[in-house]
Amino acid sequence: MGGCLQILLNEQLESLFQEIPPRNGNSVVLVRSENSWHNVSPVLPQASQDSLS
């Protein structure tokens, strides 16, 4: 229902490299650098649960 972590190749939102769906019990570690980008896809209105991070 949305809320996926999107790893990008550059600062353009269209440059999607990988999409990671939110799943209970999973975590992702992001290492900050000058050339790393990410986004989170919108959560759809019909989502049955809140997305917490």
Side-chain angles (χ1 to χ4, degrees):
M1 294 290 179
C4 295
L5 173 63
Q6 298 175 329
I7 306 300
L8 307 176
L9 294 171
N10 58 47
E11 65 274 4
Q12 302 298 317
L13 294 177
E14 299 80 24
S15 68
L16 182 63
F17 171 71
Q18 187 169 0
E19 190 167 70
I20 304 167
R23 294 195 177 126
N24 288 335
N26 287 355
S27 62
V28 174
V29 175
L30 298 174
V31 177
R32 188 186 183 297
S33 73
E34 295 299 319
N35 60 349
S36 62
W37 300 273
H38 72 280
N39 186 46
V40 177
S41 66
V43 176
L44 302 176
Q46 62 268 31
S48 59
Q49 293 180 322
D50 292 336
S51 177
L52 305 174
S53 58

